[in-house]
Amino acid sequence: SAVISQKPSRDICQRGTSLTIQCQVDSQVTMMFWYRQQPGQSLTLIATANQGSEATYESGFVIDKFPISRPNLTFSTLTVSNMSPEDSSIYLCSVEPGKGEQFFGPGTRLTVL
Amino acid sequence: AQKVTQAQTEISVVEKEDVTLDCVYETRDTTYYLFWYKQPPSGELVFLIRRNSFDEQNEISGRYSWNFQKSTSSFNFTITASQVVDSAVYFCALSDVYSGAGSYQLTFGKGTKLSVIP
């Protein structure tokens, strides 16, 4: 298994500002995933982050809005830029250590006023 | 494109009743993985099970059991003798898109909210 931590656990932000979410894993993993869960909804994949290369974004998500860094095999950040109330969601990172079980971090609850 | 349907939005049962959560999936791939996750009110996602497309054996883990049927593209989840602690949102997910380095990204269903009433 993998133990994943995220910072911050929650935040309340003003419209137009940006927030960077950190994801730390207790083991080295090649791929990390970022998901968004809007209130009362399911999880939607934002992007896949491979260490040493640009993140791959899903349809509807762009790098300018959700820039991702992946500086090493245990860490990644997701920035939510120029936030609006529609960005209020839970943001989760996940990893698949290689045995097919995908583990999720505790999530970051973001509220945009 | 891959798709996961959980037709039951919300289910309420009385404690000790059995309950089955339905999951139907669509994929064009012959190799894929199916998952169930539990999301309690605290919000974290708890991994419950992973099943690959070549293994149709049903699985039992304590009060939990899973019925995988490729003929109907279903992967249903049954909780026997439900308990209040089972109250949560349960997500079924499909993994058939290879992201590289041995990893697959997940497509989630919309989830089923289970409420177990004491």
Side-chain angles (χ1 to χ4, degrees):
Chain A
S1 66
V3 177
I4 306 169
S5 60
Q6 285 186 233
K7 289 182 181 179
S9 57
R10 60 177 65 233
D11 206 341
I12 300 173
C13 300
Q14 296 297 321
R15 179 195 299 262
T17 62
S18 298
L19 175 72
T20 296
I21 302 168
Q22 299 178 8
C23 178
Q24 180 76 51
V25 190
D26 68 342
S27 58
Q28 294 185 339
V29 292
T30 303
M31 307 296 291
M32 295 180 76
F33 304 89
W34 286 99
Y35 289 83
R36 180 177 73 181
Q37 186 179 23
Q38 294 177 301
Q41 302 297 314
S42 185
L43 285 80
T44 301
L45 181 66
I46 298 172
T48 302
N50 188 1
Q51 194 271 331
S53 62
E54 292 286 332
T56 301
Y57 289 83
E58 295 301 301
S59 176
F61 298 96
V62 295
I63 188 171
D64 290 345
K65 175 67 176 177
F66 297 101
I68 289 172
S69 77
R70 186 75 205 278
N72 58 54
L73 292 173
T74 63
F75 187 79
S76 178
T77 67
L78 169 76
T79 299
V80 186
S81 303
N82 189 25
M83 288 183 286
S84 66
E86 292 71 34
D87 294 319
S88 297
S89 298
I90 300 174
Y91 292 85
L92 302 102
C93 67
S94 75
V95 301
E96 186 190 302
K99 297 183 178 179
E101 300 174 3
Q102 197 164 114
F103 296 95
F104 286 80
T108 295
R109 293 177 181 268
L110 171 62
T111 302
V112 184
L113 303 177
Chain B
Q2 63 275 23
K3 183 180 178 181
V4 177
T5 302
Q6 294 179 255
Q8 304 149 310
T9 304
E10 292 192 41
I11 300 176
S12 290
V13 298
V14 177
E15 200 170 21
K16 297 185 182 178
E17 287 184 347
D18 299 347
V19 59
T20 295
L21 309 182
D22 298 332
C23 174
V24 175
Y25 62 92
E26 295 178 25
T27 177
R28 295 180 179 179
D29 288 341
T30 56
T31 301
Y32 51 89
Y33 299 90
L34 295 162
F35 300 77
W36 276 95
Y37 287 88
K38 174 182 179 180
Q39 188 175 44
S42 54
E44 77 276 20
L45 272 173
V46 179
F47 169 87
L48 295 179
I49 190 172
R50 165 185 174 264
R51 173 67 73 223
N52 75 55
S53 53
F54 298 108
D55 182 2
E56 287 194 72
Q57 274 194 325
N58 292 330
E59 180 154 342
I60 299 174
S61 176
R63 296 184 296 108
Y64 295 169
S65 63
W66 290 269
N67 184 353
F68 176 30
Q69 293 195 348
K70 289 180 73 172
S71 61
T72 56
S73 296
S74 65
F75 187 43
N76 296 337
F77 173 31
T78 297
I79 302 175
T80 303
S82 60
Q83 300 176 2
V84 173
V85 293
D86 296 326
S87 297
V89 179
Y90 290 86
F91 291 98
C92 180
L94 166 70
S95 174
D96 67 350
V97 178
Y98 188 63
S99 301
S103 295
Y104 289 77
Q105 63 192 53
L106 297 179
T107 298
F108 283 83
K110 292 187 180 298
T112 298
K113 182 178 181 180
L114 173 65
S115 298
V116 181
I117 304 165

